[in-house]
Amino acid sequence: MDFIGQKAVVERFMEQYKSGMTSHAYVLSGPPGIGKKTLAREMARTLLCGEEPARAPCGRCRGCKSFAAGSNPGFFEIVPKTRNILIEQIRELIDHIMVRPAQGRKVYLIQEADRMTTQAQNCLLKTLEEPPPYAVIIMSANSFESLLITIRSRVVHLRLGRYSDEEMRQILKRHGKSSADMDAAIAFSEGNPARALAIMGNPEFLKTRELVFAHMLGENGPDPADCELNLHLSGNKDALPDCLDILESAYRDVMMILCGKSGNLINSDKRDKLMEYARRSSMQRVIAVIREVNAIRSHLKRYMNHQLAVDLVTLVPHD
């Protein structure tokens, strides 16, 4: 299977598939952007491959080629039509699933299954209780616990976790991203590919991050970096929320260093500078700054004046 990362999840599925013990239903859960849809489609491609399990997916057979072209008759996908997946959509799936294929399997992907209405989930339940032997239902969900217990008890749950830095690097390269600025995107993405891709596609975020760290890590007293950050945020209203997130993550990292837990920093590419900052800071001061940042964020939601918030972030001493 051509999928980067999630080794334990992929191995579990492939072991079941190769041994002929494929489940009738799977739920892939994890935060938005973690790769649930990509992995679900790769699982479907594997199940619909005409080659023997040890070679699937081959990419060359009729099943693989038609899947790549979006025309495989054995693949059926459901996405939310409105805010929810409605019972009518599940009834359509059930009508389709009852028709036996001429050969091979039928695979159904329900995206964002935790957005199924209660009625839709109950409608799906009977099919999960008495599944046809030729069908596999794959669901993705941000929150597995949001599904009804009767659904959860009848599926194999595969939980996707954060990716390693090296896996993130491979994913970004696969999407055509260069190594320039890759470290910053990986560091701030917290192992989430979609977030890393969004960061790399947003030069303003990377500029904001560098200015925030110049502001935070500068020497005590008046610092030109403070003025530069102030000017940047004053003229770019959308950058202020990013600035607050970056500041909070940086001070969180300092707090982790002060607790002796420096192995899992969000801003790992700034480790040395954060270690130096931690040596001249204190837990009490770091907690106070995090509270200041959260207070500014809270006031912004109550329509605090933008320039006042910028001045509080950049001109009030934080050290």
Side-chain angles (χ1 to χ4, degrees):
M1 182 184 292
D2 187 23
F3 188 83
I4 299 169
Q6 308 298 338
K7 183 179 179 181
V9 169
V10 171
E11 286 182 350
R12 183 180 178 188
F13 168 74
M14 290 304 295
E15 284 173 5
Q16 291 181 351
Y17 174 63
K18 290 177 181 179
S19 65
M21 299 294 290
T22 304
S23 174
H24 65 285
Y26 295 90
V27 173
L28 304 180
S29 73
I34 204 69
K36 299 185 294 295
K37 178 184 175 182
T38 303
L39 180 53
R41 292 183 67 86
E42 190 65 15
M43 290 167 64
R45 185 167 78 101
T46 301
L47 291 165
L48 293 168
C49 177
E51 273 285 0
E52 60 185 76
R55 298 180 181 177
C58 68
R60 299 181 302 274
C61 69
R62 181 181 298 178
C64 286
K65 289 181 178 179
S66 61
F67 186 86
S71 59
N72 191 303
F75 183 66
F76 187 85
E77 188 170 8
I78 287 181
V79 297
K81 279 188 174 178
T82 55
R83 294 178 59 185
N84 299 308
I85 294 175
L86 306 175
I87 189 170
E88 290 79 10
Q89 294 176 269
I90 300 302
R91 284 174 177 160
E92 184 181 355
L93 180 154
I94 292 171
D95 289 343
H96 192 280
I97 208 171
M98 296 311 296
V99 180
R100 181 181 290 273
Q103 61 180 6
R105 287 189 174 91
K106 298 177 83 170
V107 180
Y108 298 82
L109 171 57
I110 304 177
Q111 288 190 41
E112 301 182 71
D114 46 347
R115 290 172 62 181
M116 282 190 287
T117 63
T118 300
Q119 294 85 350
Q121 292 189 56
N122 283 324
C123 183
L124 180 64
L125 186 58
K126 184 171 178 58
T127 301
L128 295 179
E129 290 173 338
E130 301 175 8
Y134 50 80
V136 177
I137 298 174
I138 304 172
M139 294 176 265
S140 69
N142 292 336
S143 172
F144 180 68
E145 290 71 24
S146 295
L147 295 169
L148 295 177
I149 183 62
T150 47
I151 297 287
R152 302 201 306 263
S153 64
R154 288 169 173 82
V155 301
V156 172
H157 179 206
L158 302 174
R159 190 183 298 276
L160 278 62
R162 62 181 295 164
Y163 295 76
S164 69
D165 287 357
E166 181 54 35
E167 290 166 348
M168 291 289 293
R169 200 174 302 278
Q170 292 177 40
I171 292 169
L172 292 175
K173 286 180 179 178
R174 178 170 288 187
H175 282 81
K177 301 300 182 181
S178 66
S179 56
D181 297 322
M182 196 177 282
D183 287 344
I186 291 172
F188 205 76
S189 69
E190 298 187 80
N192 187 303
R195 181 159 173 75
L197 287 166
I199 290 170
M200 292 200 73
N202 182 6
E204 282 299 311
F205 179 92
L206 298 172
K207 179 180 179 180
T208 300
R209 183 172 183 263
E210 290 306 312
L211 288 174
V212 167
F213 272 95
H215 157 71
M216 173 187 171
L217 302 173
E219 296 298 325
N220 292 347
D223 191 329
D226 293 351
C227 296
E228 190 175 354
L229 179 61
N230 189 289
L231 289 172
H232 174 68
L233 296 176
S234 297
N236 188 350
K237 193 171 183 178
D238 292 337
L240 183 55
D242 286 338
C243 171
L244 295 174
D245 289 344
I246 295 164
L247 270 175
E248 185 174 11
S249 74
Y251 282 106
R252 173 264 185 197
D253 284 347
V254 173
M255 187 165 61
M256 296 299 288
I257 292 169
L258 291 171
C259 290
K261 299 178 179 179
S262 60
N264 191 27
L265 303 183
I266 295 173
N267 301 280
S268 56
D269 59 320
K270 305 287 187 183
R271 181 186 304 275
D272 291 344
K273 291 183 177 180
L274 288 168
M275 295 280 283
E276 180 184 346
Y277 182 90
R279 283 194 288 271
R280 54 187 172 87
S281 189
S282 67
M283 182 65 74
Q284 183 178 7
R285 185 60 194 139
V286 170
I287 292 172
V289 173
I290 291 175
R291 285 175 177 164
E292 288 177 23
V293 170
N294 284 325
I296 294 170
R297 184 184 286 114
S298 178
H299 289 318
L300 276 172
K301 291 178 181 178
R302 299 188 181 97
Y303 306 104
M304 172 189 260
N305 177 271
H306 174 75
Q307 190 58 50
L308 175 58
V310 169
D311 292 343
L312 286 172
V313 169
T314 61
L315 302 182
V316 175
H318 290 303
D319 198 12

